Amino acid sequence: MNAATRTRTADRTAAARTASGSLPAGTRAAAAAAAAGAEGAVEELCSAVFASLRRKDQRERGRQYVQGLLTAEGRKSIRNIALQLDRAGAAGGAGAAAAEQSLHHFIAASTWDWQPIRTALAEYLGRTAPLNAWVAQPMAIPKGGEHSVGAGHRFDPHRGQMFRGQQAFGLWYTSAPVVTPVGWRLFLDEEAAPAPSQDSVQVGTGEEESYAGCAVSGVLNAVREARLPVRPVVLDVRDIATRSTLHRFAEARVPVVARIGAEARLLVTDPRVPGFGAGTMAARDVLQNVRGLRMPVEWPDPEVPGARRTSLVAAVRVMVPDPAPGRRREVLLFGEWEAARRLPTQLWVTDMVRTDPAALVRMTKTALRVSAASAASVQRVGLRDFSGRSLPGWHRHVTLASVAHAALCLAAPAPADRPDAPLAPASRPAARTPAAVPVPVPVAARAGALAASRGQRTAAVRRPALAAL
């Protein structure tokens, strides 16, 4: 099928869906326009990322699957994708049943490796929309039955509740115009049957991992395989900033900004900061002790185009306790207050200790962009829709769904206001260096911070200089 025929087929499909009323009235025109706009992006993207597939029929099957994810109605199951291909005349006259069998073999029983496609996707995006930061987030996938790989009783940390299903970790590529996943890992514990390695289709038995260990392994493997310039990782997984996590990122020489729990124990390293010499303290208490140093930071709201928000931010250097002296290193703890008289609502640590806290806070807002993109389009491309006991099948499905998601991003107009502008400093983690802390904030600046937290307009407040020890 040539490109002109594919375009006509996509137009007929979009028109048929609009005429049938299968979509809500308010979204029919938008869906038709999106389908047409994504057609060119799908063609170009598939040509670039499927080069690792050795056979022409595999490359064509991959393109059909991606197009089916974008155009099939309802759940993006292999059956629905096959039905869509048959209706669009892309099944070669074999019928929906034969197309379904062929697609099932392509996803669940074939031998092609998904990792080269993920690498090619990241490299393509790197040429098209240079990377600003990675964002790692968990994705809960509810499953009611017993026939899905990795399904079990899980705790969703973002919602704070138990659910039955799969727990996956996605690594998202973020730049000014693009927010899309490029790497995935499925959490497998004692409830899951032994499965082949997640990082290759080679035969092997997957080792049981902890929740945090699975997330960190998935992120570091995906970053390494992407073969792009080093950029920071925003690790938006609650309570994951443990000693082990930070050590693994330091060993990999990948800079990280990681969520930390309010009760995580830290050591204050600056003798001028309250709590120095008092032993370990809860992260929340460390920040409350320096709340007098808070400064207002303005950032664009990813969920409301054109809107800007203001938070109060304070930062202090601390050390994560470690019995091994060689693994002790200073990190920067920074917190964000939504209201001046309340406790901090966001707590993070980073090994980029020389980076301005305002830039770090704005970087963490890329996690909000990922959450917004996930809510808007994960269902659209069927990232949660794979069913089956095949772990390689799950990886192939989410890989092709990620390609479909990237095509949607590349076809969409890019909003101008983004919170994740590249950081000016070098992005590698700094070695242990003399600490630097803000000097006390003048009374006028504190009043301005308080007014900003209440939504009032204030004159520009100059950030105090850093005083080096």
Side-chain angles (χ1 to χ4, degrees), residues 49-385:
V49 303
F50 291 152
S52 65
L53 297 177
R54 292 172 295 179
R55 302 202 312 264
K56 181 179 179 180
D57 65 301
Q58 287 182 325
R59 296 191 292 273
E60 177 62 15
R61 192 66 71 207
R63 188 201 63 79
Q64 289 179 342
Y65 198 88
V66 170
Q67 191 65 54
L69 289 168
L70 292 170
T71 57
E73 296 182 24
R75 185 169 170 272
K76 311 297 181 174
S77 64
I78 291 177
R79 174 169 297 179
N80 283 345
I81 293 173
L83 288 172
Q84 175 60 31
L85 292 177
D86 186 49
R87 284 195 296 266
E100 180 182 356
Q101 183 178 6
S102 177
L103 286 177
H104 183 272
H105 181 273
F106 177 70
I107 294 296
S110 188
T111 59
W112 59 271
D113 191 348
W114 56 83
Q115 188 55 59
I117 292 177
R118 295 179 183 178
T119 300
L121 175 60
E123 291 177 340
Y124 179 89
L125 294 172
R127 295 190 300 270
T128 306
L131 174 68
N132 288 339
W134 302 104
V135 176
Q137 279 189 351
M139 183 175 73
I141 310 173
K143 295 286 183 181
E146 302 289 335
H147 303 293
S148 295
V149 60
H153 294 286
R154 306 278 183 240
F155 178 73
D156 183 354
H158 276 249
R159 297 181 181 178
Q161 63 185 24
M162 297 294 297
F163 73 101
R164 170 74 190 179
Q166 299 162 315
Q167 181 70 71
F169 298 97
L171 183 69
W172 293 67
Y173 182 108
T174 70
S175 66
V178 171
V179 179
T180 192
V182 295
W184 292 97
R185 194 172 184 92
L186 191 63
F187 178 43
L188 303 173
D189 59 7
E190 66 276 2
E191 293 192 49
S197 167
Q198 298 199 48
D199 301 315
S200 169
V201 296
Q202 301 300 317
V203 175
T205 301
E207 295 182 2
E208 182 182 320
E209 292 181 297
S210 68
Y211 177 89
C214 179
V216 173
S217 294
V219 169
L220 291 178
N221 288 340
V223 168
R224 182 184 67 249
E225 294 290 348
R227 298 189 300 205
L228 293 177
V230 175
R231 299 300 299 161
V233 173
V234 178
L235 198 56
D236 187 26
V237 184
R238 295 188 187 276
D239 300 331
I240 198 174
T242 62
R243 180 176 62 203
S244 173
T245 294
L246 296 175
H247 180 67
R248 290 184 64 183
F249 273 89
E251 282 190 323
R253 298 184 61 78
V254 175
V256 64
V257 181
R259 276 187 181 274
I260 194 167
E263 300 300 327
R265 309 301 293 182
L266 300 169
L267 286 168
V268 175
T269 59
D270 188 344
R272 296 171 299 177
V273 173
F276 176 77
T280 62
M281 298 175 59
R284 180 178 55 205
D285 295 337
V286 174
L287 288 172
Q288 283 293 93
N289 283 342
V290 297
R291 62 186 181 274
L293 302 180
R294 294 176 299 189
M295 291 298 294
V297 174
E298 189 179 64
W299 46 274
D301 188 344
E303 298 177 339
V304 184
R308 301 187 75 81
R309 310 292 184 210
T310 299
S311 302
L312 296 176
V313 176
V316 60
R317 289 198 187 186
V318 296
M319 182 178 291
V320 180
D322 195 309
R327 291 173 51 162
R328 295 172 187 168
R329 57 179 56 83
E330 283 187 325
V331 294
L332 189 69
L333 168 69
F334 63 99
E336 179 182 352
W337 286 257
E338 295 177 358
R341 297 185 182 277
R342 298 182 180 177
L343 295 172
T345 54
Q346 302 275 343
L347 294 86
W348 302 80
V349 292
T350 180
D351 48 15
M352 296 184 291
V353 295
R354 298 186 183 130
T355 304
D356 182 62
L360 292 169
V361 168
R362 295 186 185 104
M363 183 191 294
T364 65
K365 302 308 174 184
T366 57
L368 296 181
R369 288 186 66 197
V370 169
S371 296
S374 178
S377 51
V378 160
Q379 185 175 355
R380 170 78 190 279
V381 299
L383 273 164
R384 293 186 175 96
D385 288 350

